[in-house]
Structure formats: structure tokens, C-alpha cells
Amino acid sequence: MNISVIGTGYVGLVTGTCFAEMGHNVICVDIDEVKISNLKKGIMPIYEPGLEEMVVKNASENRLHFTTDIKHAAEKSTIHFIAVGTPPGADDAADLQFVQAVASQLGQTITADYNIIVDKSTVPVGTADKVSTIISQEFNKRDFSGEFDIVSNPEFLKEGTAIDDFMNPDRVIIGADSDRSRRLMHNLYAPFSPSHDCILIMGIRGAEMTKYASNAMLATKISFMNEIAELCEKLDVDIEDVRLGMGSDTRIGYEFIYPGCGYGGSCFPKDVKALERMAVENDVPSHVLNAVESRNQRQKERLFVKIRQFYNGNVTGKTFCLWGLAFKPGTDDMREAPSLQIITDLVNAGAKIQAYDPVAKETASIDIPDEWLADGRITIMDDQYQALESSDALILATEWKQFRNPDFNYIKEKLNDPVIFDGRNQYDPQLMADLGISYSGIGRSNQL
């Protein structure tokens, strides 16, 4: 098939690349000339394991192309994926200006007798209707008689494993209202699951809602577990025992019940807020969603509370080694990262930070205030152990694999105060006690 993907951010680039990998002809479009120029050279705008190799391979084999010319892409394609950003607006509702702009451009430029326009971006219920209206209006302006269908096809990619998620999906949601679009979209995705049919066909509005409801449920599990973890600290209960006991119940499972210093990223925070806004607009109380968001904000602040308590309320002049900046391992994404809250709280309290992350150094430098980097209030190091030099304590904010089994004797030797604040519960409190290292995790017993 001939496919255009408008937007070469995280979702669009992975989507276009994986379709090309399966043999389709794909044109990826973006208004960012520098990004397109770099992609043609094999330079990625994001870090995602396996993506660079797949982009270079398919571009060299002439199946994957990059351009800033949406007219060219629209004329050469019959299936058009809209994969542009839907950032939260001032009222936390999803901002659809970029989606609507692309819809207008497609309506002005597509030429095939029949086209499918696919909403790949995360969009509120009813967006497909708006896109359809815009395209119809543009068709009428130029007296174009072509037919089209709108499809909702939300993405369920996890940063760090996005290639495998796309190539081996656990489910593909297709919201479509015509037999023709259902058939073509099913044919497009069928090769990704040859051993079993994981394609779920439903109405457009149902597909739009499924994306938001899925992310909100996962965020709810995280916030619930974080709240239980704080209660466990008060009751001298080890949350790890509770987690294992809960997860063994197949109705609950082990996924997304790891307590920590809060969730971040481009999806959960934005989508929970957008779903809250949809509830408000439709006069539906959103007690659960409000609680999920407020608990997550509290959780991002928990490590600072623990640190301040350890130092009797005064961290002025202290230097902290911070391991992990990205919101999760496997990505350089700093959006809504808990590390940013930790950094802000510590710097505002008069402390300094020496941070290290395997891949997020450049993206973190964009999100951290320039003056903090310039005057040394935060320094991003090139080595995890280098960040320990002259530090008072160690903070773990992102559970990269290389942080899981560090040299604890070296850590103890280098820290002025041998203490670890573990925001991801990676270390055994008993082992830390045996090594003579003070330890504070999230909901763990046998800690300071």
C-alpha cells in the first residue's frame, strides 16, 4: 500500500518505519526542515532502541521517504495517518489545532478516488467527526468528488520497546464505520499478527475512548500502588510483600503495580488530564481521575520529603548524586519526568545536583533551566560513578539496568553520608543495612 504519515515525532516515525519494514511504500511528512534533513541522513530525532537501524535500512531500500511537502505525500498515497501532537491546552483539554491543520491540508491536496484518513494521534471522542467535516469542506471548495473514510487507530507503543510493540502487537484497535475501510485496515495490519488475529474492529468513538481509558487505567494502578506504599510506611509493612501478594492474583497481575516516585512521559499525565476535561465538559464527576493525578503529583514530591526529613529540614549546601533523568528507562524522553520535580525541589532548597543518565543528557539539558546549568547548581555528568564525587547522598530516579547492581562499596566510600534514596525500589533494604548504607525506598520496611 501507499501510505503517508504526517508527523515524524515518536508515534509517526515508528509507525511509518514499521509499515515500510513490512513492505509498504511510506512517505513521512514533517514541517521541521532540520528534522527531515537529518532523517534523510539517518540521524534520529529521538532515542528508541532499534529505530535508527530500521530507518536506515528501509530508506536505503527505497520504501521509506521523508519530506516537508505534504502535497507530494498526499498525491502519492491513499492511506494517510495523522500523527501530530495533541498537547494539553490551557484548560488541560487536548489541543487539536495541529490535527485540524493536517486535515485541512489533506482535504486540499489528496487526489485518489478513495482515501482513508487515520487518526493515529491521541484525540478526544468526536475528533473523527471534526476531521471528516474539515475534509468535506475542503473537497467542496475545489469541487473534488473523491470518497474518503475516517478511521481511528490509536497507538499503544511503550517508549523503549516501541518497535517490538508495533511489529508484535498484543492488540490493534481499528475504529471504522464502513466495510471498505474496515477491510483495508484489517489487511494492512493482518501481517503483524499472522499466528492469531489481534485486530479489534469497533466504532470510531469507541476506539477514541479506548486509548484514553487504557492509559488512565494504567495510571490508576500506579497511583493506587503508590498510595498503598505510603500507608505501608506508616504501618511498618513492606510494600514488596504486598506487591507480590497482589500480583499473584490473576485478576490484578504484576504489571503497573510497582511503587515509585511517580509516572511521567508524554501519555499518562496528558491523557489523564484530557479525560478529566472530557468528564467536566459532559457533567460527569471525575473523582477517580482527579485522585490519580493528585496522588501522582504528591508521589513526585515524596523523595524530596524523605531527603529533607533525613537532613532535619535543611539541605542547603548539600550535593546530591542523581542517577536517572528520563521518565523511564529505554528512552531519552524528559516530558513530565519525576526527576525534574526532584531537581526543582532540591535546587530551590539550596542544594546542588550531579546527575547522570545513559541517554537523556541532551534532552535533559533542554528542560533544565540554563542558569542552573551555568552556575553549577546542576551538573550533568558523563559517568554514573563520576557523579558520586563529592556528593552527600545518592538518589535513584530512573531504573536503568546499569543501576541495578552497582558497586555499593564504592558508593559507600564516595558519599559523604552513606545514604541512598531509592525512588524505584531497586535495592534490598537488608543488603543496604548489612553494607552499612542508610536506605530509604518507597513503602519499604527495614529502612531509615
Side-chain angles (χ1 to χ4, degrees):
M1 298 183 185
N2 295 312
I3 298 169
S4 70
V5 179
I6 299 89
T8 59
Y10 189 86
V11 173
L13 185 55
V14 172
T15 297
T17 302
C18 289
F19 278 137
E21 178 72 9
M22 294 300 280
H24 299 288
N25 298 311
V26 180
I27 303 175
C28 289
V29 185
D30 204 290
I31 61 173
D32 188 330
E33 295 182 359
V34 174
K35 181 189 290 188
I36 292 298
S37 177
N38 284 337
L39 283 168
K40 289 179 179 180
K41 300 173 186 175
I43 301 173
M44 300 299 104
I46 57 172
Y47 174 81
E48 179 62 36
L51 180 61
E52 180 178 343
E53 295 83 356
M54 192 175 285
V55 168
V56 171
K57 172 179 175 286
N58 283 279
S60 66
E61 294 174 0
N62 208 35
R63 288 190 300 273
L64 181 61
H65 310 272
F66 300 99
T67 183
T68 57
D69 186 354
I70 192 171
K71 182 176 184 294
H72 167 75
E75 291 174 347
K76 295 289 185 180
S77 309
T78 55
I79 300 181
H80 314 270
F81 284 82
I82 301 177
V84 293
T86 53
D91 59 355
D92 288 331
D95 186 346
L96 297 178
Q97 63 172 309
F98 304 114
V99 170
Q100 293 171 330
V102 171
S104 179
Q105 290 175 301
L106 288 174
Q108 296 166 13
T109 55
I110 54 180
T111 58
D113 292 336
Y114 176 72
N115 293 269
I116 296 177
I117 292 85
V118 184
D119 280 332
K120 196 69 172 172
S121 303
T122 301
V123 294
V125 175
T127 299
D129 296 335
K130 296 178 180 178
V131 170
S132 179
T133 297
I134 291 170
I135 292 175
S136 294
Q137 290 173 344
E138 295 296 343
F139 276 17
N140 291 335
K141 289 178 184 178
R142 61 188 177 109
D143 197 27
F144 180 62
S145 59
E147 298 179 358
F148 71 94
D149 281 312
I150 307 296
V151 168
S152 175
N153 174 220
E155 55 84 18
F156 296 97
L157 306 177
K158 299 184 293 294
E159 294 190 35
T161 60
I163 297 295
D164 185 62
D165 290 343
F166 200 102
M167 299 300 290
N168 302 285
D170 53 9
R171 86 282 207 196
V172 176
I173 303 294
I174 297 174
D177 289 341
S178 77
D179 290 337
R180 188 176 186 181
S181 61
R182 293 189 194 105
R183 183 178 68 254
L184 286 171
M185 291 298 293
H186 190 282
N187 291 343
L188 177 64
Y189 276 106
F192 290 93
S193 56
S195 62
H196 68 287
D197 193 347
C198 66
I199 301 172
L200 303 177
I201 305 291
M202 61 182 68
I204 292 175
R205 297 173 78 86
E208 291 172 332
M209 188 56 153
T210 297
K211 168 65 175 180
Y212 279 106
S214 296
N215 279 352
M217 173 57 77
L218 297 177
T220 299
K221 291 183 73 175
I222 295 171
S223 282
F224 174 82
M225 206 62 185
N226 282 332
E227 189 155 299
I228 296 299
E230 186 172 347
L231 181 59
C232 283
E233 292 178 5
K234 299 292 186 180
L235 299 174
D236 192 27
V237 175
D238 192 336
I239 189 63
E240 183 64 7
D241 293 336
V242 178
R243 183 187 71 81
L244 292 172
M246 290 174 60
S248 62
D249 186 332
T250 56
R251 296 170 301 173
I252 299 173
Y254 294 102
E255 296 292 327
F256 290 88
I257 61 169
Y258 290 90
C261 52
Y263 61 75
S266 63
C267 294
F268 288 4
K270 173 176 69 71
D271 292 351
V272 169
K273 291 175 183 177
L275 194 54
E276 284 183 76
R277 186 61 192 173
M278 277 187 265
V280 169
E281 291 174 349
N282 289 277
D283 297 321
V284 176
S286 57
H287 303 307
V288 174
L289 294 171
N290 291 336
V292 169
E293 176 61 24
S294 61
R295 161 48 67 176
N296 190 58
Q297 182 55 43
R298 177 178 175 86
Q299 205 64 24
K300 288 182 177 182
E301 299 167 359
R302 286 293 295 156
L303 280 186
F304 175 69
V305 171
K306 290 171 174 286
I307 294 167
R308 186 175 54 187
Q309 289 175 343
F310 179 80
Y311 287 104
N312 299 314
N314 185 14
V315 297
T316 301
K318 298 292 183 180
T319 298
F320 293 92
C321 170
L322 176 63
W323 280 359
L325 292 166
F327 87 93
K328 62 177 283 187
T331 180
D332 63 351
D333 196 340
M334 289 293 298
R335 285 173 287 185
E336 302 282 347
S339 65
L340 294 173
Q341 183 69 54
I342 296 168
I343 290 169
T344 299
D345 290 342
L346 285 171
V347 169
N348 288 340
K352 292 184 178 181
I353 298 167
Q354 295 180 166
Y356 170 77
D357 189 284
V359 303
K361 181 176 182 178
E362 291 186 12
T363 51
S365 298
I366 297 172
D367 287 280
I368 295 170
D370 292 338
E371 59 269 26
W372 292 1
L373 293 166
D375 63 17
R377 278 180 280 183
I378 177 166
T379 305
I380 303 178
M381 316 297 279
D382 294 320
D383 178 83
Q384 70 184 80
Y385 291 108
Q386 180 189 15
L388 290 166
E389 297 289 340
S390 303
S391 292
D392 292 288
L394 170 62
I395 304 168
L396 178 69
T398 312
E399 65 275 31
W400 287 94
K401 289 181 179 179
Q402 68 191 72
F403 298 152
R404 294 181 184 177
N405 292 286
D407 186 338
F408 289 112
N409 289 323
Y410 186 82
I411 292 172
K412 182 180 178 181
E413 174 188 336
K414 288 297 181 181
L415 293 177
N416 295 329
D417 304 313
V419 56
I420 296 176
F421 298 95
D422 184 357
R424 298 299 178 185
N425 286 358
Q426 293 297 290
Y427 307 135
D428 180 0
Q430 185 58 57
L431 174 61
M432 297 300 99
D434 293 343
L435 291 171
I437 298 175
S438 298
Y439 176 82
S440 181
I442 305 296
R444 300 305 306 270
S445 60
N446 193 23
Q447 59 178 333
L448 59 87

